[in-house]
Amino acid sequence: MQWKPKRHSQLSLHSQIVDWMTSLIQQGEWTIGMNLPPQRKLAEMLEVNRSTIIQVLDELKADGLLETKRGGGTFVANNSWNVLLNKSQPNWQKHIQMSIHKPNYHTIQLINEYEQDVSMIRLGTGELSPELLPTNLLEESLQSMTLNARDIGYSEPKGSKKLRMVLSDYLGKQGIHTSPESILIVSGALQALQLISVGLLEQQSIIFQEHPSYLNSIHPFQSAGMQMVSVQSNERLAETLKTLKGKRQSLFYTVPTLHNPTGRIMSVEERHQLLEICSTLQIPIIEDNVYQELLFEESVPALKSFDHSGQVLYLGSVSKTLSPGLRIGWVVAPEPVINRLADIKMQTDYGSSAFSQKIVAHWIETGLYDQHLGQLRQQLQQRTSFVERILTKDFKEVATWDKPKGGFYIWLRFNEPIVNKGLFLKLIKQKVLINPGYIYDPNDMHHIRLSYAYASLAELQEGLAILLSIIKLQ
Amino acid sequence: MQWKPKRHSQLSLHSQIVDWMTSLIQQGEWTIGMNLPPQRKLAEMLEVNRSTIIQVLDELKADGLLETKRGGGTFVANNSWNVLLNKSQPNWQKHIQMSIHKPNYHTIQLINEYEQDVSMIRLGTGELSPELLPTNLLEESLQSMTLNARDIGYSEPKGSKKLRMVLSDYLGKQGIHTSPESILIVSGALQALQLISVGLLEQQSIIFQEHPSYLNSIHPFQSAGMQMVSVQSNERLAETLKTLKGKRQSLFYTVPTLHNPTGRIMSVEERHQLLEICSTLQIPIIEDNVYQELLFEESVPALKSFDHSGQVLYLGSVSKTLSPGLRIGWVVAPEPVINRLADIKMQTDYGSSAFSQKIVAHWIETGLYDQHLGQLRQQLQQRTSFVERILTKDFKEVATWDKPKGGFYIWLRFNEPIVNKGLFLKLIKQKVLINPGYIYDPNDMHHIRLSYAYASLAELQEGLAILLSIIKLQ
C-alpha cells in the first residue's frame, strides 16, 4: 500500500482516510466481501494512531460501506456498492470460491506474504540467501552479453536451441544421454509439473508420492483432479503400487537426491529397484532432481541415467543453485512426450524468458556455472556446521536430526508433537518464519524443515534462540 | 536433429543410420507409435539419398522395429520394445490422448513448426520483425544494468514491486488509475488468460467472445472445460447475453482496440454500451489491450478507464511492442482478484523472470519505451503503405480489405471461399506460411490474417506474389 495521509493538509487525517477508503471501494479496488487488514496493521501502514483508524471504520460502518462480522474482522459491506452508486459489481468472492484451482494452504499464503517483510527471520525458506547468489558475476555476464534480434523474439516451442544443446552436453557428463530434441525448457521445475499434470494424465489418475512430500505443499496435480497417494518405500512397494493403481493411469513422483523436505538420498540399489518396479507396472516416474548439484560429497547417478525405456521424466533447474529469479528449468523425456509438453507450453505462456535462457546457456557453457557450484557447496557446508553447532548445543534435549549431506535443509524432529499452526503463528508474532512439517504431511506435528541456506548466520542464531524459547514455554 | 552419418567411416551410411535409429528406440527417445518424419525429410535432415533411407526403413521393418500403416507413414512398431529387450515402456500415446489439455489445432502446430525454418516467408506472424526490435538499445540497457541480490531471488507473488509502481504511473497517464497492489505481473497476456480460467470461473462457465476471435486459436478456457460462445455486437446483444448466460457464471472476452484478427477499433459509444450491458448482467469483461500502443492515430480510452465497479480485467504486455522474448505482461483488476491470481501464479511458476521484469521497468521508467513506440509506429505505418500498394495493384479483383489503423494485421477477405487447409498446405510447399481465417472462426473460408509486421519488405512482396499465383490456379 503506497498511499499515506498528509500531515499538513487542510483535511484532517481522519477525513483523508475516509475519502481514500471510499474511493478504493468506489473504484472497485476493494470489492464486496473483502476482508480489511486488522486495525493495528492499518494504523501501522498509514502511520496514524489506532484510535484514528477506529474512528474511520466506525464512520464507514455507519455509512453502510463496511460491516463487522461475528468473530471479528471488518469487511466491505454487501450493499456498499448500492450505497455508493446504486450499481452492481461482479460477485468476485463467488467467482473465486467456485473456480477450479485450489488455493494455497493458508499457512503457505502466510509464508508467501511474510517473506516480503524484510524484518522477518526466515528459518524455512527453500532459497539461497542473497549473499550466496553470484550477483556481481551475473551483472558482469549481462554486461558482456551480445543480443541477436532472433534471440529475443518468440522462442521455439521447446525453448532456445542453444540452451538445449548446452544442456545436452552438460547432462551427458552426468550420464544422462539425450538429444536437444528431447529437452524442454520450462520456467522452473514447478511449471514442468503443471504441464505434465494437464498434458500426460487422464482425470482421476493416481500420483504416487513419497511420505512426506514437497508435492503436498503445492497443487498442480490436485487442481487437475488427480488423486494423491503417499507410499512408503518398503519390501511391499510393488504389491502396494499394483493394488492401488488398478487399471488407472498413474505416475510416481520422487526426489531421490536430497529429498525435499527430509534431505534423504536414495541408494543406487533402491534406484534400480524403483525403476524396475515402475517399469513392470508401466508407471512413469517424475525424477525431480533440482538439488543434485548441491551434494557435498560424491554424486549419485540419476534414475534417468539407468532409464533405457523412456520411463523417467527428468526435471532440473537453476533455481536452487544460480538464481530463482531466472525462472529456468528443464524436462528430459522421450521426444513425443516433449513434443506434447512443448505444445501445451506454447498454449500456456509462449515459452520462457529469452533473456533468462541466454544467461543460463552462457553460464553453463563457459564453465562459470561449475565454478560457482564448487564455491556454493563449500559455503553451504559452512552454514550447515554453524547450524549444527547451535542444534547440538541447545536442541539436543528437545529434538533429533540427521547430518545434512547437501542441499538446504535439516529435517528437525521434535520429540513432542508441538509443531502445529499455533506454533507457526506464535513465531510469526516474534518475527520468525518456519516451514512446519504439516505442509508436507498433514498428519505430521513433529517436524520443521529448517533451512540453513537463506537467513544470515546472525539471523539463524537469533531465530533458533527464539524458536527454542517459545518451545520451552509450550 | 543434430546427428548425421559420417562420410568417411568404416561403417556404411546405411549401417550408421540403422544403428542410430535402433539406439533412439532403445533409449526410449523414439517411443512406440511415434510417427517418423517422411522419407524425403529424413533424407534431407541426414544429408543422404532417399534410396538409403528406404533401405534403412525396410531393414528396420523386417526386424520388427518399425511398421507401416495404411495410408502411409512409418511408425515405431508396437512390439519394437519387446524385440529389443523384451521389456515394456509406458504407453505414452495413450497418456497423451487421454489427458486433459487440448492440443493445438494441427494448422497451428504446423505454423509453430515451420516458423523455425528461416527459409519460410511468414505472411501471418503476429510478431515484430527482427529488424523492428530495438536489439541494440536492449543490449545497451543490459550493459548499464546493476543487479541487487534481492532482485534476483523469488519475486513477490504479484511480481516486482518496482515494475508495478512504474506501471501504475504509466497506466495512470492512459486514464487507468490503479495502485501497484491491484497489478499482477504475468509471463505475457496468454498466461493471464490461463490464470483467469482456473482461478475465477467454475467449470462449464460461458466465455463470450467476438466473432471471429483470437481465442479460437488458443485453448486456455476450452481446456478447463469452459463453453465458448461467439456473439455479434448488435442491438440485441444484451438480450442475447442474458438468454445464453442463464444462471451460469460467465465472462466477456474482447479486444476493443485493434482487434485480433480483424484490426477493428470499438468506438467510445460502443465501449460505454458494452460496459453497461455487462455491468447490469454482472458479466466481468476481459479487456485484452496488447495492441493499444500501436495505434497510428490518436488513442482511444480503454474500457478499464470507464470502469468504476471493478468489472474489467485489463491485460497489457510488451510482447507486441518491445520484445516477445521478455515474456512480460500485466493484469489490472480489483485487489482480491489480483490476490487470487497471484496465489495461483505462485503455484504455477513462482513468478516471471526477474531479469525480464527489471528490463521492462527500466524501459518504461526512463522513457526509452515511449521513444521506441514513436519510431515503431512510424515503421509499421510505412510497412502498411508498402503492402497496401501491392494489394491495390494485384489483389483488387480477388479480395477486399480495410486500411489498417495500427497494429500488425490486414484482415484480407477473398471474394471466393478458397482459404482452406488445402491452400494452407500448398503454400507451405512454396515456402509461404499464412494464418488462415479458419483458426479464428472454424466456418470462415474467406479470410487470411495478413501481417505486415514480421517479414522483410522483399519477403512480403515475394510471398504475396506466390499467394496470388496459387490463388489464380485454384
Side-chain angles (χ1 to χ4, degrees), chain B residues 29-53:
Chain B
E29 287 208 32
W30 282 10
T31 55
I32 290 169
M34 193 189 96
N35 198 350
L36 267 64
Q39 295 171 359
R40 193 185 303 274
K41 201 170 172 191
L42 277 171
E44 215 171 88
M45 291 189 305
L46 301 174
E47 293 170 7
V48 297
N49 290 329
R50 193 163 161 200
S51 60
T52 309
I53 294 295

PDB file of all heavy atoms in Angstrom, chain B residues 29-53:
ATOM      1  N   GLU B  29      13.899 -42.588 -26.703  1.00  0.00           N
ATOM      2  CA  GLU B  29      13.656 -41.240 -27.235  1.00  0.00           C
ATOM      3  C   GLU B  29      12.585 -41.279 -28.324  1.00  0.00           C
ATOM      4  O   GLU B  29      11.797 -40.361 -28.469  1.00  0.00           O
ATOM      5  CB  GLU B  29      14.949 -40.626 -27.782  1.00  0.00           C
ATOM      6  CG  GLU B  29      15.893 -40.207 -26.679  1.00  0.00           C
ATOM      7  CD  GLU B  29      16.776 -39.047 -27.121  1.00  0.00           C
ATOM      8  OE1 GLU B  29      16.353 -38.212 -27.927  1.00  0.00           O
ATOM      9  OE2 GLU B  29      17.943 -39.016 -26.661  1.00  0.00           O
ATOM     10  N   TRP B  30      12.619 -42.340 -29.110  1.00  0.00           N
ATOM     11  CA  TRP B  30      11.523 -42.574 -30.061  1.00  0.00           C
ATOM     12  C   TRP B  30      10.623 -43.618 -29.422  1.00  0.00           C
ATOM     13  O   TRP B  30      11.040 -44.753 -29.164  1.00  0.00           O
ATOM     14  CB  TRP B  30      12.058 -43.100 -31.388  1.00  0.00           C
ATOM     15  CG  TRP B  30      12.645 -42.040 -32.264  1.00  0.00           C
ATOM     16  CD1 TRP B  30      12.914 -40.750 -31.931  1.00  0.00           C
ATOM     17  CD2 TRP B  30      13.049 -42.177 -33.629  1.00  0.00           C
ATOM     18  NE1 TRP B  30      13.454 -40.070 -32.991  1.00  0.00           N
ATOM     19  CE2 TRP B  30      13.547 -40.926 -34.051  1.00  0.00           C
ATOM     20  CE3 TRP B  30      13.034 -43.229 -34.542  1.00  0.00           C
ATOM     21  CZ2 TRP B  30      14.032 -40.704 -35.340  1.00  0.00           C
ATOM     22  CZ3 TRP B  30      13.515 -43.016 -35.827  1.00  0.00           C
ATOM     23  CH2 TRP B  30      14.007 -41.763 -36.218  1.00  0.00           C
ATOM     24  N   THR B  31       9.394 -43.252 -29.145  1.00  0.00           N
ATOM     25  CA  THR B  31       8.526 -44.176 -28.407  1.00  0.00           C
ATOM     26  C   THR B  31       7.582 -44.938 -29.335  1.00  0.00           C
ATOM     27  O   THR B  31       7.337 -44.533 -30.479  1.00  0.00           O
ATOM     28  CB  THR B  31       7.670 -43.394 -27.395  1.00  0.00           C
ATOM     29  OG1 THR B  31       6.982 -42.379 -28.103  1.00  0.00           O
ATOM     30  CG2 THR B  31       8.538 -42.773 -26.313  1.00  0.00           C
ATOM     31  N   ILE B  32       7.038 -46.009 -28.770  1.00  0.00           N
ATOM     32  CA  ILE B  32       6.080 -46.841 -29.509  1.00  0.00           C
ATOM     33  C   ILE B  32       4.975 -45.977 -30.097  1.00  0.00           C
ATOM     34  O   ILE B  32       4.404 -45.143 -29.409  1.00  0.00           O
ATOM     35  CB  ILE B  32       5.481 -47.899 -28.553  1.00  0.00           C
ATOM     36  CG1 ILE B  32       6.554 -48.919 -28.194  1.00  0.00           C
ATOM     37  CG2 ILE B  32       4.258 -48.562 -29.160  1.00  0.00           C
ATOM     38  CD1 ILE B  32       6.176 -49.848 -27.074  1.00  0.00           C
ATOM     39  N   GLY B  33       4.675 -46.202 -31.365  1.00  0.00           N
ATOM     40  CA  GLY B  33       3.585 -45.475 -32.004  1.00  0.00           C
ATOM     41  C   GLY B  33       4.010 -44.152 -32.600  1.00  0.00           C
ATOM     42  O   GLY B  33       3.237 -43.508 -33.296  1.00  0.00           O
ATOM     43  N   MET B  34       5.244 -43.718 -32.325  1.00  0.00           N
ATOM     44  CA  MET B  34       5.682 -42.425 -32.856  1.00  0.00           C
ATOM     45  C   MET B  34       5.785 -42.466 -34.383  1.00  0.00           C
ATOM     46  O   MET B  34       6.246 -43.437 -34.965  1.00  0.00           O
ATOM     47  CB  MET B  34       7.040 -42.032 -32.270  1.00  0.00           C
ATOM     48  CG  MET B  34       7.386 -40.577 -32.545  1.00  0.00           C
ATOM     49  SD  MET B  34       9.101 -40.126 -32.107  1.00  0.00           S
ATOM     50  CE  MET B  34       9.894 -40.314 -33.720  1.00  0.00           C
ATOM     51  N   ASN B  35       5.313 -41.422 -34.989  1.00  0.00           N
ATOM     52  CA  ASN B  35       5.318 -41.285 -36.439  1.00  0.00           C
ATOM     53  C   ASN B  35       6.679 -40.735 -36.882  1.00  0.00           C
ATOM     54  O   ASN B  35       7.088 -39.672 -36.448  1.00  0.00           O
ATOM     55  CB  ASN B  35       4.203 -40.290 -36.805  1.00  0.00           C
ATOM     56  CG  ASN B  35       3.820 -40.387 -38.252  1.00  0.00           C
ATOM     57  OD1 ASN B  35       4.507 -41.057 -39.033  1.00  0.00           O
ATOM     58  ND2 ASN B  35       2.739 -39.729 -38.601  1.00  0.00           N
ATOM     59  N   LEU B  36       7.362 -41.453 -37.772  1.00  0.00           N
ATOM     60  CA  LEU B  36       8.653 -40.939 -38.261  1.00  0.00           C
ATOM     61  C   LEU B  36       8.435 -39.818 -39.278  1.00  0.00           C
ATOM     62  O   LEU B  36       7.397 -39.782 -39.944  1.00  0.00           O
ATOM     63  CB  LEU B  36       9.452 -42.061 -38.935  1.00  0.00           C
ATOM     64  CG  LEU B  36      10.438 -42.823 -38.048  1.00  0.00           C
ATOM     65  CD1 LEU B  36       9.726 -43.581 -36.948  1.00  0.00           C
ATOM     66  CD2 LEU B  36      11.283 -43.773 -38.883  1.00  0.00           C
ATOM     67  N   PRO B  37       9.393 -38.903 -39.407  1.00  0.00           N
ATOM     68  CA  PRO B  37       9.276 -37.907 -40.477  1.00  0.00           C
ATOM     69  C   PRO B  37       9.210 -38.612 -41.844  1.00  0.00           C
ATOM     70  O   PRO B  37       9.681 -39.737 -41.977  1.00  0.00           O
ATOM     71  CB  PRO B  37      10.575 -37.108 -40.350  1.00  0.00           C
ATOM     72  CG  PRO B  37      11.080 -37.358 -38.972  1.00  0.00           C
ATOM     73  CD  PRO B  37      10.623 -38.733 -38.614  1.00  0.00           C
ATOM     74  N   PRO B  38       8.636 -37.948 -42.851  1.00  0.00           N
ATOM     75  CA  PRO B  38       8.574 -38.555 -44.191  1.00  0.00           C
ATOM     76  C   PRO B  38       9.989 -38.869 -44.716  1.00  0.00           C
ATOM     77  O   PRO B  38      10.958 -38.224 -44.317  1.00  0.00           O
ATOM     78  CB  PRO B  38       7.927 -37.477 -45.051  1.00  0.00           C
ATOM     79  CG  PRO B  38       7.316 -36.511 -44.101  1.00  0.00           C
ATOM     80  CD  PRO B  38       8.038 -36.617 -42.813  1.00  0.00           C
ATOM     81  N   GLN B  39      10.066 -39.856 -45.612  1.00  0.00           N
ATOM     82  CA  GLN B  39      11.360 -40.270 -46.168  1.00  0.00           C
ATOM     83  C   GLN B  39      12.142 -39.091 -46.728  1.00  0.00           C
ATOM     84  O   GLN B  39      13.336 -38.939 -46.494  1.00  0.00           O
ATOM     85  CB  GLN B  39      11.135 -41.291 -47.287  1.00  0.00           C
ATOM     86  CG  GLN B  39      10.519 -42.585 -46.780  1.00  0.00           C
ATOM     87  CD  GLN B  39      10.114 -43.499 -47.926  1.00  0.00           C
ATOM     88  OE1 GLN B  39      10.280 -43.148 -49.101  1.00  0.00           O
ATOM     89  NE2 GLN B  39       9.596 -44.675 -47.593  1.00  0.00           N
ATOM     90  N   ARG B  40      11.432 -38.250 -47.475  1.00  0.00           N
ATOM     91  CA  ARG B  40      12.106 -37.114 -48.107  1.00  0.00           C
ATOM     92  C   ARG B  40      12.766 -36.215 -47.053  1.00  0.00           C
ATOM     93  O   ARG B  40      13.904 -35.791 -47.189  1.00  0.00           O
ATOM     94  CB  ARG B  40      11.069 -36.295 -48.889  1.00  0.00           C
ATOM     95  CG  ARG B  40      11.649 -35.277 -49.849  1.00  0.00           C
ATOM     96  CD  ARG B  40      10.537 -34.434 -50.470  1.00  0.00           C
ATOM     97  NE  ARG B  40       9.538 -35.254 -51.163  1.00  0.00           N
ATOM     98  CZ  ARG B  40       9.646 -35.669 -52.451  1.00  0.00           C
ATOM     99  NH1 ARG B  40      10.713 -35.334 -53.147  1.00  0.00           N
ATOM    100  NH2 ARG B  40       8.710 -36.397 -53.004  1.00  0.00           N
ATOM    101  N   LYS B  41      12.040 -35.999 -45.950  1.00  0.00           N
ATOM    102  CA  LYS B  41      12.557 -35.119 -44.911  1.00  0.00           C
ATOM    103  C   LYS B  41      13.742 -35.763 -44.185  1.00  0.00           C
ATOM    104  O   LYS B  41      14.748 -35.108 -43.887  1.00  0.00           O
ATOM    105  CB  LYS B  41      11.439 -34.790 -43.912  1.00  0.00           C
ATOM    106  CG  LYS B  41      11.735 -33.522 -43.143  1.00  0.00           C
ATOM    107  CD  LYS B  41      10.576 -33.010 -42.327  1.00  0.00           C
ATOM    108  CE  LYS B  41      11.046 -31.864 -41.444  1.00  0.00           C
ATOM    109  NZ  LYS B  41      10.042 -31.487 -40.437  1.00  0.00           N
ATOM    110  N   LEU B  42      13.600 -37.071 -43.901  1.00  0.00           N
ATOM    111  CA  LEU B  42      14.705 -37.783 -43.255  1.00  0.00           C
ATOM    112  C   LEU B  42      15.972 -37.672 -44.106  1.00  0.00           C
ATOM    113  O   LEU B  42      17.064 -37.402 -43.607  1.00  0.00           O
ATOM    114  CB  LEU B  42      14.347 -39.267 -43.063  1.00  0.00           C
ATOM    115  CG  LEU B  42      13.501 -39.611 -41.824  1.00  0.00           C
ATOM    116  CD1 LEU B  42      13.037 -41.057 -41.894  1.00  0.00           C
ATOM    117  CD2 LEU B  42      14.289 -39.359 -40.540  1.00  0.00           C
ATOM    118  N   ALA B  43      15.803 -37.896 -45.419  1.00  0.00           N
ATOM    119  CA  ALA B  43      16.943 -37.832 -46.324  1.00  0.00           C
ATOM    120  C   ALA B  43      17.591 -36.451 -46.262  1.00  0.00           C
ATOM    121  O   ALA B  43      18.819 -36.320 -46.180  1.00  0.00           O
ATOM    122  CB  ALA B  43      16.481 -38.150 -47.749  1.00  0.00           C
ATOM    123  N   GLU B  44      16.759 -35.434 -46.229  1.00  0.00           N
ATOM    124  CA  GLU B  44      17.245 -34.065 -46.168  1.00  0.00           C
ATOM    125  C   GLU B  44      18.011 -33.806 -44.859  1.00  0.00           C
ATOM    126  O   GLU B  44      19.112 -33.267 -44.848  1.00  0.00           O
ATOM    127  CB  GLU B  44      16.028 -33.144 -46.193  1.00  0.00           C
ATOM    128  CG  GLU B  44      16.197 -31.849 -46.921  1.00  0.00           C
ATOM    129  CD  GLU B  44      14.836 -31.155 -47.036  1.00  0.00           C
ATOM    130  OE1 GLU B  44      14.491 -30.407 -46.094  1.00  0.00           O
ATOM    131  OE2 GLU B  44      14.103 -31.393 -48.040  1.00  0.00           O
ATOM    132  N   MET B  45      17.391 -34.251 -43.762  1.00  0.00           N
ATOM    133  CA  MET B  45      17.997 -33.986 -42.452  1.00  0.00           C
ATOM    134  C   MET B  45      19.334 -34.689 -42.298  1.00  0.00           C
ATOM    135  O   MET B  45      20.276 -34.162 -41.707  1.00  0.00           O
ATOM    136  CB  MET B  45      17.065 -34.468 -41.334  1.00  0.00           C
ATOM    137  CG  MET B  45      15.795 -33.630 -41.209  1.00  0.00           C
ATOM    138  SD  MET B  45      14.831 -34.071 -39.718  1.00  0.00           S
ATOM    139  CE  MET B  45      14.609 -35.814 -39.942  1.00  0.00           C
ATOM    140  N   LEU B  46      19.408 -35.933 -42.803  1.00  0.00           N
ATOM    141  CA  LEU B  46      20.632 -36.717 -42.609  1.00  0.00           C
ATOM    142  C   LEU B  46      21.619 -36.524 -43.764  1.00  0.00           C
ATOM    143  O   LEU B  46      22.707 -37.114 -43.778  1.00  0.00           O
ATOM    144  CB  LEU B  46      20.289 -38.195 -42.445  1.00  0.00           C
ATOM    145  CG  LEU B  46      19.349 -38.510 -41.258  1.00  0.00           C
ATOM    146  CD1 LEU B  46      18.960 -39.985 -41.265  1.00  0.00           C
ATOM    147  CD2 LEU B  46      20.015 -38.144 -39.938  1.00  0.00           C
ATOM    148  N   GLU B  47      21.187 -35.762 -44.753  1.00  0.00           N
ATOM    149  CA  GLU B  47      22.024 -35.489 -45.922  1.00  0.00           C
ATOM    150  C   GLU B  47      22.469 -36.758 -46.632  1.00  0.00           C
ATOM    151  O   GLU B  47      23.660 -36.989 -46.873  1.00  0.00           O
ATOM    152  CB  GLU B  47      23.233 -34.604 -45.508  1.00  0.00           C
ATOM    153  CG  GLU B  47      22.773 -33.201 -45.094  1.00  0.00           C
ATOM    154  CD  GLU B  47      23.865 -32.360 -44.460  1.00  0.00           C
ATOM    155  OE1 GLU B  47      25.028 -32.807 -44.451  1.00  0.00           O
ATOM    156  OE2 GLU B  47      23.554 -31.254 -43.981  1.00  0.00           O
ATOM    157  N   VAL B  48      21.501 -37.631 -46.876  1.00  0.00           N
ATOM    158  CA  VAL B  48      21.760 -38.850 -47.671  1.00  0.00           C
ATOM    159  C   VAL B  48      20.693 -38.950 -48.755  1.00  0.00           C
ATOM    160  O   VAL B  48      19.704 -38.210 -48.745  1.00  0.00           O
ATOM    161  CB  VAL B  48      21.715 -40.122 -46.788  1.00  0.00           C
ATOM    162  CG1 VAL B  48      22.809 -40.093 -45.719  1.00  0.00           C
ATOM    163  CG2 VAL B  48      20.346 -40.281 -46.129  1.00  0.00           C
ATOM    164  N   ASN B  49      20.897 -39.883 -49.684  1.00  0.00           N
ATOM    165  CA  ASN B  49      19.900 -40.099 -50.731  1.00  0.00           C
ATOM    166  C   ASN B  49      18.655 -40.739 -50.146  1.00  0.00           C
ATOM    167  O   ASN B  49      18.725 -41.476 -49.163  1.00  0.00           O
ATOM    168  CB  ASN B  49      20.437 -41.042 -51.813  1.00  0.00           C
ATOM    169  CG  ASN B  49      21.532 -40.351 -52.612  1.00  0.00           C
ATOM    170  OD1 ASN B  49      21.509 -39.143 -52.774  1.00  0.00           O
ATOM    171  ND2 ASN B  49      22.496 -41.146 -53.069  1.00  0.00           N
ATOM    172  N   ARG B  50      17.537 -40.473 -50.830  1.00  0.00           N
ATOM    173  CA  ARG B  50      16.296 -41.064 -50.344  1.00  0.00           C
ATOM    174  C   ARG B  50      16.358 -42.586 -50.422  1.00  0.00           C
ATOM    175  O   ARG B  50      15.782 -43.287 -49.595  1.00  0.00           O
ATOM    176  CB  ARG B  50      15.139 -40.516 -51.182  1.00  0.00           C
ATOM    177  CG  ARG B  50      13.807 -40.832 -50.557  1.00  0.00           C
ATOM    178  CD  ARG B  50      12.717 -39.960 -51.120  1.00  0.00           C
ATOM    179  NE  ARG B  50      11.414 -40.551 -50.862  1.00  0.00           N
ATOM    180  CZ  ARG B  50      10.320 -40.256 -51.524  1.00  0.00           C
ATOM    181  NH1 ARG B  50      10.370 -39.366 -52.507  1.00  0.00           N
ATOM    182  NH2 ARG B  50       9.178 -40.832 -51.223  1.00  0.00           N
ATOM    183  N   SER B  51      17.098 -43.102 -51.402  1.00  0.00           N
ATOM    184  CA  SER B  51      17.183 -44.564 -51.542  1.00  0.00           C
ATOM    185  C   SER B  51      17.836 -45.194 -50.311  1.00  0.00           C
ATOM    186  O   SER B  51      17.451 -46.292 -49.890  1.00  0.00           O
ATOM    187  CB  SER B  51      17.958 -44.930 -52.813  1.00  0.00           C
ATOM    188  OG  SER B  51      19.270 -44.395 -52.725  1.00  0.00           O
ATOM    189  N   THR B  52      18.809 -44.500 -49.724  1.00  0.00           N
ATOM    190  CA  THR B  52      19.437 -45.013 -48.498  1.00  0.00           C
ATOM    191  C   THR B  52      18.410 -45.119 -47.377  1.00  0.00           C
ATOM    192  O   THR B  52      18.348 -46.116 -46.644  1.00  0.00           O
ATOM    193  CB  THR B  52      20.579 -44.067 -48.042  1.00  0.00           C
ATOM    194  OG1 THR B  52      21.437 -43.823 -49.158  1.00  0.00           O
ATOM    195  CG2 THR B  52      21.374 -44.656 -46.894  1.00  0.00           C
ATOM    196  N   ILE B  53      17.588 -44.089 -47.267  1.00  0.00           N
ATOM    197  CA  ILE B  53      16.547 -44.075 -46.222  1.00  0.00           C
ATOM    198  C   ILE B  53      15.586 -45.249 -46.433  1.00  0.00           C
ATOM    199  O   ILE B  53      15.239 -45.966 -45.489  1.00  0.00           O
ATOM    200  CB  ILE B  53      15.775 -42.735 -46.264  1.00  0.00           C
ATOM    201  CG1 ILE B  53      16.703 -41.572 -45.889  1.00  0.00           C
ATOM    202  CG2 ILE B  53      14.565 -42.772 -45.339  1.00  0.00           C
ATOM    203  CD1 ILE B  53      17.225 -41.600 -44.457  1.00  0.00           C
TER     204      ILE B  53
END
